[in-house]
Amino acid sequence: MRILLVASVFNSLTQRVFAELGDRGHTVAVCAGVDDDLLREAASRHAPDLIVAPMLKSVIPRDIWSAYTCLVLHPGPLGDRGPSSLDWAIHEGNTRWGVTVLQADDVMDGGDVWASVDCPLPPAIGKSDFYRNEVSDAALEAVLLAVRRFASGTHIPRPQHGPGWDIDDHTRPYHRQVVRRIDWSTDSTDTVLRKLRAGDSQPGVLDDFLGGEWFLHGGHAEDELRGSPGAPIATRAGALCRATTDGAVWIPELRPRRRAGGPPTFKLPATMALGAGLPPLPEVPAPLVLPEGRRTWSDIRYREDGPVGFLEFGFPGGAMSTAHCRRLLDAYRHACSRPTSVLVLGGGRDFFSNGIHLNVIEAAPDPAAESWANIDAMDDLVEAILTTTDRLTIAAVAGNAAAGGVMLALATDEVWCRHGALLNPHYRLMGLYGSEYWTYTLPRRVGATVAERLTRQALPVTTATAHRLGLVDRVVAVGPQSFAGEVARLARLTASNPHVQNRIGTKKAIRERDEATKPLADYRAEELAAMHRNFFAPGESYHARRSAFVRKGPAPCTPPHLATEASGTAAIPD
């Protein structure tokens, strides 16, 4: 079918729906940053059989939904209505949730039901993590079911009210800051964490703190540190620890409230955001190997299970600053000093990596210089992985990865992806050539022709297509909560294989052969020469694109690479 995707933002869920529909042979075009006239023009130009809206903050005009069947995804179960469904779900402590595909009509979230799918809401996760994982899985299932039902030509959607099926409406208001606000003098740790997680990553929780107004982003429990409720008591790797009435919480990021007439603000590591306003506090690092029973936050951890090492990491938004890269490299070197035959990188629930940290770069006194330092640190990390020849390395990609984050995964010997992950193996949309040795790792997996098309087309790639192309070695078909356990099981099997040492020997020989053909240093020098131009040459688009991305500037129209019709990633050859 010809399908027009309508979205306020081409976010992760919209990208996944776009790519999955394309994988199934549908011809898909996108209208993003919805303006009524642009939507009318897009509908007229593409003449779709169906319009699907995976993420919509505005109402589809009557003349559009009267002329075309328009299916709108609502991130709530049957009967749920309102703009803050996920916020309320977490705030109220629900353990089950769901998504519903509705037909657009006069009533917001009140149209006929084409599909509805339930999902678990695990404890102790933030809204954005939940959205990109359980909600995304349920949403895709619901959208694909609704599309199949529409294509059949025989399915009749069910009204929300009628004989034999009367849904109990539950309209929730916008989740305002007055509800989110933390009372540090009375709120328990669990209450504070629930409020923080319901606002992660947007809009955050507004708080009067250290003489200013700040949005707090992210929240993790601390098991040992204590202090006066609300007081800052420690720092760790850019995060801030604040005491509660019965414990403490770690807050990784802050965002200053936007001043009237001022520029948009953006999230930064908490200590960096506070800058000179941060009082003297002890830096309390977490041990790389956490003792059993500890319940504290750390963005990098290492553990072992017999011959398998697990280096787990997770950074907010998947962004890796210069400091993140250097700390992860130190941890990687420690992991390589251990007597293991298999080393697994990643393996958490959410983002694997999205490459360099654009927010930290935007806030730097010299963004070009910080960009250069960041890409150099990323390259050091990737080089260390590529030159590891005494064990097998595996990238466990639980969530989405993009740009340098994809290339970080490709540096390992095997890439294992959860089936719900989405890959964006390109840099072009940020005005960058790219580095992380991609000119070596990407063509060796998919060939030069496909590598060129992936980086030029700049489209999201599903794990199924990635596996077909050779980007991914294994697709792990489990839910987000089960991924780490399944990866551990598979890694143990890999390590116990009697041929594992032969594989390590073969890997070493291939690396030596490739080095003799063209040294890694040459790939790095060529890539960095192009990146230096992107960072420092006049007239390059990178700085303007980065600033617009970080400050969430409005998109005036659908980007050209999305406006044209495509069968998802079907333009990539078999």
Side-chain angles (χ1 to χ4, degrees):
M1 287 194 303
R2 298 167 63 85
I3 299 176
L4 177 62
L5 285 191
V6 177
S8 299
V9 181
F10 195 56
N11 68 344
S12 61
L13 177 56
T14 307
Q15 291 179 39
R16 186 177 177 191
V17 171
F18 168 82
E20 294 277 4
L21 288 173
D23 279 4
R24 286 158 176 78
H26 299 290
T27 300
V28 187
V30 177
C31 182
V34 182
D35 170 274
D36 287 357
D37 289 335
L38 289 176
L39 177 55
R40 293 184 180 103
E41 191 277 330
S44 175
R45 182 170 72 253
H46 297 293
D49 301 307
L50 178 66
I51 293 176
V52 177
M55 188 274 181
L56 202 58
K57 296 181 179 178
S58 56
V59 176
I60 295 176
R62 168 184 277 273
D63 58 301
I64 294 294
W65 59 255
S66 297
Y68 304 91
T69 299
C70 298
L71 303 184
V72 179
L73 179 74
H74 176 72
L78 282 170
D80 177 81
R81 298 185 185 183
S84 303
S85 295
L86 301 184
D87 310 63
W88 284 110
I90 293 174
H91 182 90
E92 294 172 349
N94 286 274
T95 59
R96 299 285 307 176
W97 202 240
V99 299
T100 310
V101 178
L102 307 163
Q103 185 162 338
D105 66 6
D106 277 325
V107 181
M108 191 74 168
D109 299 332
D112 293 352
V113 177
W114 281 83
S116 182
V117 175
D118 290 342
C119 65
L121 201 175
I125 64 167
K127 177 179 68 172
S128 56
D129 181 340
F130 178 49
Y131 179 78
R132 284 186 292 266
N133 286 285
E134 283 83 3
V135 170
S136 178
D137 287 356
L140 181 68
E141 182 181 346
V143 167
L144 294 179
L145 175 59
V147 169
R148 289 195 304 271
R149 286 173 169 173
F150 176 82
S152 73
T154 60
H155 182 78
I156 300 175
R158 301 189 69 172
Q160 295 194 39
H161 299 284
W165 199 43
D166 198 38
I167 296 171
D168 181 21
D169 292 339
H170 191 180
T171 301
R172 293 176 170 85
Y174 179 72
H175 202 265
R176 300 186 181 279
Q177 287 295 335
V178 66
V179 179
R180 301 182 192 274
R181 186 172 293 276
I182 296 169
D183 186 339
W184 293 97
S185 67
T186 61
D187 284 349
S188 66
T189 298
D190 286 346
T191 299
V192 170
L193 288 173
R194 191 167 64 250
K195 290 180 177 180
L196 289 170
R197 289 166 178 160
D200 178 35
S201 62
Q202 289 294 335
V205 175
L206 186 61
D207 193 39
D208 296 319
F209 181 55
L210 295 178
E213 290 186 296
W214 298 90
F215 289 96
L216 316 180
H217 293 273
H220 306 272
E222 164 58 30
D223 59 352
E224 292 185 350
L225 301 176
R226 297 293 183 267
S228 176
I233 54 178
T235 61
R236 174 181 296 163
L240 184 69
C241 189
R242 292 181 67 178
T244 65
T245 58
D246 59 350
V249 296
W250 288 98
I251 301 170
E253 294 184 311
L254 301 177
R255 175 171 60 92
R257 187 174 192 176
R258 184 178 185 178
R259 293 180 180 145
T265 60
F266 51 92
K267 293 178 287 184
L268 286 170
T271 57
M272 182 180 182
L274 289 167
L278 180 69
L281 295 171
E283 174 75 6
V284 182
L288 184 60
V289 181
L290 278 179
E292 188 174 350
R294 283 296 311 271
R295 183 171 173 258
T296 188
W297 170 81
S298 177
D299 53 9
I300 303 173
R301 297 182 181 184
Y302 180 73
R303 62 183 178 88
E304 288 178 2
D305 185 355
V308 183
F310 297 89
L311 182 56
E312 301 168 350
F313 58 91
F315 307 114
M320 296 174 62
S321 68
T322 304
H324 288 139
C325 294
R326 289 173 178 165
R327 289 194 297 109
L328 186 54
L329 177 56
D330 288 343
Y332 183 79
R333 287 170 173 158
H334 168 80
C336 287
S337 73
R338 300 292 301 160
T340 59
S341 57
V342 174
L343 176 57
V344 179
L345 309 180
R349 276 184 46 97
D350 204 6
F351 287 118
F352 181 77
S353 170
N354 285 325
I356 60 176
H357 201 311
L358 300 177
N359 288 36
V360 168
I361 291 168
E362 181 73 9
D366 185 341
E370 180 55 36
S371 299
W372 185 253
N374 202 164
I375 198 62
D376 197 49
M378 279 288 293
D379 282 1
D380 287 345
L381 174 61
V382 173
E383 181 185 22
I385 299 170
L386 285 170
T387 56
T388 298
T389 57
D390 63 347
R391 68 199 71 209
L392 295 180
T393 56
I394 296 169
V397 182
N400 300 341
V406 176
M407 308 314 164
L408 174 64
L410 297 189
T412 62
D413 301 310
E414 292 192 13
V415 179
W416 299 354
C417 277
R418 194 182 81 81
H419 71 94
L422 197 69
L423 305 181
N424 275 282
H426 51 81
Y427 304 83
R428 180 173 68 83
L429 302 182
M430 198 51 62
L432 294 174
Y433 177 78
S435 193
E436 293 99 3
Y437 297 89
W438 78 267
T439 53
Y440 170 62
T441 58
L442 188 58
R444 75 171 177 170
R445 277 185 165 269
V446 302
T449 300
V450 174
E452 187 277 332
R453 292 189 182 183
L454 285 169
T455 53
R456 172 174 49 82
Q457 291 175 342
L459 295 174
V461 179
T462 66
T463 52
T465 292
H467 187 259
R468 174 172 60 84
L469 295 175
L471 274 174
V472 168
D473 300 286
R474 186 193 295 267
V475 176
V476 183
V478 297
Q481 288 289 84
S482 302
F483 181 72
E486 181 64 6
V487 164
R489 184 186 71 82
L490 294 170
R492 288 192 297 269
L493 289 175
T494 301
S496 65
N497 189 302
H499 301 295
V500 68
Q501 291 303 322
N502 290 338
R503 290 187 61 192
I504 294 170
T506 300
K507 158 188 174 169
K508 185 174 186 295
I510 292 173
R511 174 83 287 280
E512 291 171 350
R513 181 201 67 195
D514 288 354
E515 187 69 13
T517 302
K518 181 177 180 178
L520 286 177
D522 289 356
Y523 289 99
R524 181 167 180 164
E526 291 165 1
E527 292 170 1
L528 289 181
M531 292 290 273
H532 191 276
R533 288 192 297 273
N534 296 152
F535 294 154
F536 294 101
E540 290 286 318
S541 64
Y542 159 67
H543 293 292
R545 293 186 185 206
R546 182 200 65 243
S547 187
F549 175 83
V550 168
R551 298 177 186 275
K552 304 188 185 303
C557 60
T558 304
H561 79 293
L562 297 178
T564 56
E565 293 176 341
S567 296
T569 50
I572 301 167
D574 290 318

mmCIF file of all heavy atoms in Angstrom, residues 299-328:
data_model
loop_
_atom_site.group_PDB
_atom_site.id
_atom_site.type_symbol
_atom_site.label_atom_id
_atom_site.label_comp_id
_atom_site.label_asym_id
_atom_site.label_seq_id
_atom_site.Cartn_x
_atom_site.Cartn_y
_atom_site.Cartn_z
ATOM 1 N N ASP A 299 27.141 4.599 35.683
ATOM 2 C CA ASP A 299 26.888 4.495 34.250
ATOM 3 C C ASP A 299 27.821 3.500 33.561
ATOM 4 O O ASP A 299 27.644 3.200 32.376
ATOM 5 C CB ASP A 299 26.969 5.863 33.560
ATOM 6 C CG ASP A 299 28.256 6.603 33.849
ATOM 7 O OD1 ASP A 299 29.175 6.017 34.450
ATOM 8 O OD2 ASP A 299 28.360 7.789 33.462
ATOM 9 N N ILE A 300 28.805 2.962 34.287
ATOM 10 C CA ILE A 300 29.700 1.945 33.746
ATOM 11 C C ILE A 300 29.907 0.881 34.829
ATOM 12 O O ILE A 300 30.270 1.215 35.961
ATOM 13 C CB ILE A 300 31.066 2.528 33.325
ATOM 14 C CG1 ILE A 300 30.900 3.658 32.303
ATOM 15 C CG2 ILE A 300 31.967 1.430 32.765
ATOM 16 C CD1 ILE A 300 32.192 4.375 31.968
ATOM 17 N N ARG A 301 29.707 -0.369 34.471
ATOM 18 C CA ARG A 301 29.892 -1.457 35.430
ATOM 19 C C ARG A 301 30.546 -2.651 34.732
ATOM 20 O O ARG A 301 30.373 -2.842 33.516
ATOM 21 C CB ARG A 301 28.561 -1.913 36.032
ATOM 22 C CG ARG A 301 27.851 -0.856 36.839
ATOM 23 C CD ARG A 301 26.561 -1.383 37.445
ATOM 24 N NE ARG A 301 25.859 -0.344 38.198
ATOM 25 C CZ ARG A 301 24.741 -0.545 38.889
ATOM 26 N NH1 ARG A 301 24.202 -1.754 38.923
ATOM 27 N NH2 ARG A 301 24.162 0.440 39.550
ATOM 28 N N TYR A 302 31.256 -3.433 35.533
ATOM 29 C CA TYR A 302 31.875 -4.649 34.996
ATOM 30 C C TYR A 302 31.557 -5.817 35.926
ATOM 31 O O TYR A 302 31.548 -5.668 37.149
ATOM 32 C CB TYR A 302 33.392 -4.488 34.878
ATOM 33 C CG TYR A 302 34.078 -5.728 34.334
ATOM 34 C CD1 TYR A 302 33.970 -6.066 32.992
ATOM 35 C CD2 TYR A 302 34.812 -6.567 35.177
ATOM 36 C CE1 TYR A 302 34.566 -7.207 32.496
ATOM 37 C CE2 TYR A 302 35.412 -7.715 34.690
ATOM 38 C CZ TYR A 302 35.287 -8.034 33.342
ATOM 39 O OH TYR A 302 35.883 -9.169 32.847
ATOM 40 N N ARG A 303 31.302 -6.963 35.318
ATOM 41 C CA ARG A 303 31.085 -8.182 36.094
ATOM 42 C C ARG A 303 31.549 -9.359 35.256
ATOM 43 O O ARG A 303 31.746 -9.233 34.025
ATOM 44 C CB ARG A 303 29.612 -8.358 36.487
ATOM 45 C CG ARG A 303 28.665 -8.496 35.316
ATOM 46 C CD ARG A 303 27.214 -8.587 35.755
ATOM 47 N NE ARG A 303 26.321 -8.661 34.615
ATOM 48 C CZ ARG A 303 25.965 -9.794 34.011
ATOM 49 N NH1 ARG A 303 26.427 -10.951 34.471
ATOM 50 N NH2 ARG A 303 25.146 -9.787 32.978
ATOM 51 N N GLU A 304 31.706 -10.491 35.897
ATOM 52 C CA GLU A 304 32.147 -11.696 35.210
ATOM 53 C C GLU A 304 31.254 -12.881 35.562
ATOM 54 O O GLU A 304 30.708 -12.952 36.666
ATOM 55 C CB GLU A 304 33.596 -12.036 35.577
ATOM 56 C CG GLU A 304 34.609 -11.085 34.961
ATOM 57 C CD GLU A 304 36.040 -11.396 35.360
ATOM 58 O OE1 GLU A 304 36.259 -12.391 36.100
ATOM 59 O OE2 GLU A 304 36.939 -10.643 34.942
ATOM 60 N N ASP A 305 31.141 -13.764 34.611
ATOM 61 C CA ASP A 305 30.457 -15.033 34.817
ATOM 62 C C ASP A 305 31.329 -16.099 34.159
ATOM 63 O O ASP A 305 31.223 -16.356 32.953
ATOM 64 C CB ASP A 305 29.064 -14.997 34.200
ATOM 65 C CG ASP A 305 28.260 -16.263 34.488
ATOM 66 O OD1 ASP A 305 28.824 -17.205 35.084
ATOM 67 O OD2 ASP A 305 27.080 -16.315 34.103
ATOM 68 N N GLY A 306 32.219 -16.669 34.939
ATOM 69 C CA GLY A 306 33.147 -17.645 34.393
ATOM 70 C C GLY A 306 34.043 -17.014 33.339
ATOM 71 O O GLY A 306 34.698 -15.990 33.588
ATOM 72 N N PRO A 307 34.065 -17.577 32.123
ATOM 73 C CA PRO A 307 34.958 -17.062 31.079
ATOM 74 C C PRO A 307 34.407 -15.848 30.326
ATOM 75 O O PRO A 307 35.000 -15.418 29.337
ATOM 76 C CB PRO A 307 35.096 -18.258 30.137
ATOM 77 C CG PRO A 307 33.789 -18.971 30.261
ATOM 78 C CD PRO A 307 33.359 -18.805 31.697
ATOM 79 N N VAL A 308 33.285 -15.307 30.779
ATOM 80 C CA VAL A 308 32.652 -14.182 30.090
ATOM 81 C C VAL A 308 32.717 -12.929 30.957
ATOM 82 O O VAL A 308 32.350 -12.959 32.137
ATOM 83 C CB VAL A 308 31.177 -14.487 29.744
ATOM 84 C CG1 VAL A 308 30.568 -13.322 28.962
ATOM 85 C CG2 VAL A 308 31.062 -15.786 28.962
ATOM 86 N N GLY A 309 33.193 -11.841 30.364
ATOM 87 C CA GLY A 309 33.160 -10.543 31.022
ATOM 88 C C GLY A 309 32.048 -9.697 30.435
ATOM 89 O O GLY A 309 31.766 -9.771 29.231
ATOM 90 N N PHE A 310 31.407 -8.899 31.282
ATOM 91 C CA PHE A 310 30.315 -8.026 30.837
ATOM 92 C C PHE A 310 30.655 -6.586 31.220
ATOM 93 O O PHE A 310 30.714 -6.265 32.415
ATOM 94 C CB PHE A 310 28.988 -8.433 31.490
ATOM 95 C CG PHE A 310 28.523 -9.810 31.120
ATOM 96 C CD1 PHE A 310 28.927 -10.917 31.869
ATOM 97 C CD2 PHE A 310 27.691 -10.011 30.033
ATOM 98 C CE1 PHE A 310 28.503 -12.195 31.549
ATOM 99 C CE2 PHE A 310 27.262 -11.290 29.703
ATOM 100 C CZ PHE A 310 27.664 -12.387 30.451
ATOM 101 N N LEU A 311 30.906 -5.756 30.237
ATOM 102 C CA LEU A 311 31.151 -4.338 30.465
ATOM 103 C C LEU A 311 29.879 -3.589 30.074
ATOM 104 O O LEU A 311 29.588 -3.385 28.895
ATOM 105 C CB LEU A 311 32.349 -3.846 29.648
ATOM 106 C CG LEU A 311 32.742 -2.381 29.836
ATOM 107 C CD1 LEU A 311 33.027 -2.063 31.305
ATOM 108 C CD2 LEU A 311 33.933 -2.025 28.960
ATOM 109 N N GLU A 312 29.110 -3.219 31.089
ATOM 110 C CA GLU A 312 27.803 -2.601 30.875
ATOM 111 C C GLU A 312 27.925 -1.088 31.003
ATOM 112 O O GLU A 312 28.587 -0.592 31.918
ATOM 113 C CB GLU A 312 26.805 -3.141 31.890
ATOM 114 C CG GLU A 312 26.630 -4.663 31.811
ATOM 115 C CD GLU A 312 25.880 -5.246 32.993
ATOM 116 O OE1 GLU A 312 25.653 -4.488 33.977
ATOM 117 O OE2 GLU A 312 25.533 -6.429 32.953
ATOM 118 N N PHE A 313 27.309 -0.374 30.098
ATOM 119 C CA PHE A 313 27.344 1.087 30.154
ATOM 120 C C PHE A 313 26.028 1.634 29.622
ATOM 121 O O PHE A 313 25.359 1.011 28.797
ATOM 122 C CB PHE A 313 28.525 1.653 29.363
ATOM 123 C CG PHE A 313 28.545 1.262 27.905
ATOM 124 C CD1 PHE A 313 27.933 2.049 26.941
ATOM 125 C CD2 PHE A 313 29.184 0.100 27.498
ATOM 126 C CE1 PHE A 313 27.952 1.686 25.603
ATOM 127 C CE2 PHE A 313 29.212 -0.284 26.161
ATOM 128 C CZ PHE A 313 28.592 0.516 25.212
ATOM 129 N N GLY A 314 25.671 2.800 30.114
ATOM 130 C CA GLY A 314 24.460 3.458 29.655
ATOM 131 C C GLY A 314 24.514 4.927 30.001
ATOM 132 O O GLY A 314 24.578 5.299 31.174
ATOM 133 N N PHE A 315 24.533 5.772 28.983
ATOM 134 C CA PHE A 315 24.634 7.211 29.172
ATOM 135 C C PHE A 315 23.338 7.884 28.732
ATOM 136 O O PHE A 315 22.706 7.436 27.766
ATOM 137 C CB PHE A 315 25.821 7.770 28.380
ATOM 138 C CG PHE A 315 27.125 7.062 28.670
ATOM 139 C CD1 PHE A 315 27.762 6.309 27.703
ATOM 140 C CD2 PHE A 315 27.694 7.136 29.935
ATOM 141 C CE1 PHE A 315 28.948 5.650 27.967
ATOM 142 C CE2 PHE A 315 28.881 6.482 30.211
ATOM 143 C CZ PHE A 315 29.514 5.734 29.227
ATOM 144 N N PRO A 316 22.907 8.951 29.428
ATOM 145 C CA PRO A 316 21.635 9.596 29.080
ATOM 146 C C PRO A 316 21.558 9.959 27.600
ATOM 147 O O PRO A 316 22.463 10.597 27.057
ATOM 148 C CB PRO A 316 21.631 10.849 29.963
ATOM 149 C CG PRO A 316 22.464 10.478 31.151
ATOM 150 C CD PRO A 316 23.552 9.593 30.594
ATOM 151 N N GLY A 317 20.491 9.523 26.966
ATOM 152 C CA GLY A 317 20.301 9.824 25.553
ATOM 153 C C GLY A 317 21.270 9.102 24.641
ATOM 154 O O GLY A 317 21.284 9.350 23.430
ATOM 155 N N GLY A 318 22.073 8.202 25.197
ATOM 156 C CA GLY A 318 23.057 7.503 24.377
ATOM 157 C C GLY A 318 24.229 8.362 23.954
ATOM 158 O O GLY A 318 25.056 7.928 23.146
ATOM 159 N N ALA A 319 24.322 9.580 24.496
ATOM 160 C CA ALA A 319 25.380 10.512 24.088
ATOM 161 C C ALA A 319 26.641 10.272 24.912
ATOM 162 O O ALA A 319 26.573 10.126 26.137
ATOM 163 C CB ALA A 319 24.910 11.951 24.261
ATOM 164 N N MET A 320 27.788 10.268 24.234
ATOM 165 C CA MET A 320 29.059 9.962 24.889
ATOM 166 C C MET A 320 30.007 11.151 24.748
ATOM 167 O O MET A 320 30.520 11.435 23.670
ATOM 168 C CB MET A 320 29.675 8.704 24.279
ATOM 169 C CG MET A 320 28.822 7.466 24.512
ATOM 170 S SD MET A 320 29.418 5.983 23.650
ATOM 171 C CE MET A 320 31.028 5.763 24.411
ATOM 172 N N SER A 321 30.212 11.851 25.857
ATOM 173 C CA SER A 321 31.112 12.998 25.869
ATOM 174 C C SER A 321 32.560 12.519 25.881
ATOM 175 O O SER A 321 32.848 11.320 25.993
ATOM 176 C CB SER A 321 30.847 13.847 27.108
ATOM 177 O OG SER A 321 31.228 13.135 28.279
ATOM 178 N N THR A 322 33.465 13.474 25.787
ATOM 179 C CA THR A 322 34.885 13.145 25.886
ATOM 180 C C THR A 322 35.164 12.390 27.181
ATOM 181 O O THR A 322 35.865 11.369 27.183
ATOM 182 C CB THR A 322 35.728 14.431 25.824
ATOM 183 O OG1 THR A 322 35.418 15.142 24.618
ATOM 184 C CG2 THR A 322 37.207 14.125 25.853
ATOM 185 N N ALA A 323 34.617 12.890 28.288
ATOM 186 C CA ALA A 323 34.840 12.246 29.585
ATOM 187 C C ALA A 323 34.242 10.846 29.615
ATOM 188 O O ALA A 323 34.851 9.901 30.145
ATOM 189 C CB ALA A 323 34.246 13.096 30.698
ATOM 190 N N HIS A 324 33.033 10.655 29.067
ATOM 191 C CA HIS A 324 32.426 9.326 28.999
ATOM 192 C C HIS A 324 33.335 8.361 28.253
ATOM 193 O O HIS A 324 33.565 7.226 28.703
ATOM 194 C CB HIS A 324 31.076 9.388 28.279
ATOM 195 C CG HIS A 324 29.986 10.044 29.049
ATOM 196 N ND1 HIS A 324 29.089 10.905 28.453
ATOM 197 C CD2 HIS A 324 29.623 9.979 30.348
ATOM 198 C CE1 HIS A 324 28.227 11.335 29.357
ATOM 199 N NE2 HIS A 324 28.537 10.785 30.520
ATOM 200 N N CYS A 325 33.819 8.791 27.090
ATOM 201 C CA CYS A 325 34.659 7.913 26.266
ATOM 202 C C CYS A 325 35.929 7.512 26.999
ATOM 203 O O CYS A 325 36.344 6.344 26.943
ATOM 204 C CB CYS A 325 35.016 8.614 24.955
ATOM 205 S SG CYS A 325 33.622 8.931 23.860
ATOM 206 N N ARG A 326 36.540 8.467 27.680
ATOM 207 C CA ARG A 326 37.792 8.165 28.379
ATOM 208 C C ARG A 326 37.558 7.219 29.550
ATOM 209 O O ARG A 326 38.347 6.303 29.781
ATOM 210 C CB ARG A 326 38.449 9.465 28.831
ATOM 211 C CG ARG A 326 39.013 10.275 27.651
ATOM 212 C CD ARG A 326 39.519 11.632 28.079
ATOM 213 N NE ARG A 326 40.102 12.354 26.943
ATOM 214 C CZ ARG A 326 40.376 13.653 26.934
ATOM 215 N NH1 ARG A 326 40.101 14.389 28.007
ATOM 216 N NH2 ARG A 326 40.895 14.222 25.856
ATOM 217 N N ARG A 327 36.466 7.432 30.292
ATOM 218 C CA ARG A 327 36.181 6.517 31.402
ATOM 219 C C ARG A 327 35.829 5.126 30.897
ATOM 220 O O ARG A 327 36.213 4.119 31.495
ATOM 221 C CB ARG A 327 35.053 7.072 32.268
ATOM 222 C CG ARG A 327 35.449 8.295 33.098
ATOM 223 C CD ARG A 327 34.432 8.611 34.191
ATOM 224 N NE ARG A 327 33.135 8.959 33.673
ATOM 225 C CZ ARG A 327 32.053 8.201 33.751
ATOM 226 N NH1 ARG A 327 32.103 7.021 34.343
ATOM 227 N NH2 ARG A 327 30.904 8.614 33.265
ATOM 228 N N LEU A 328 35.087 5.067 29.792
ATOM 229 C CA LEU A 328 34.736 3.756 29.242
ATOM 230 C C LEU A 328 35.980 3.051 28.702
ATOM 231 O O LEU A 328 36.111 1.823 28.836
ATOM 232 C CB LEU A 328 33.677 3.916 28.150
ATOM 233 C CG LEU A 328 33.085 2.626 27.571
ATOM 234 C CD1 LEU A 328 32.535 1.729 28.670
ATOM 235 C CD2 LEU A 328 31.997 2.952 26.545
#
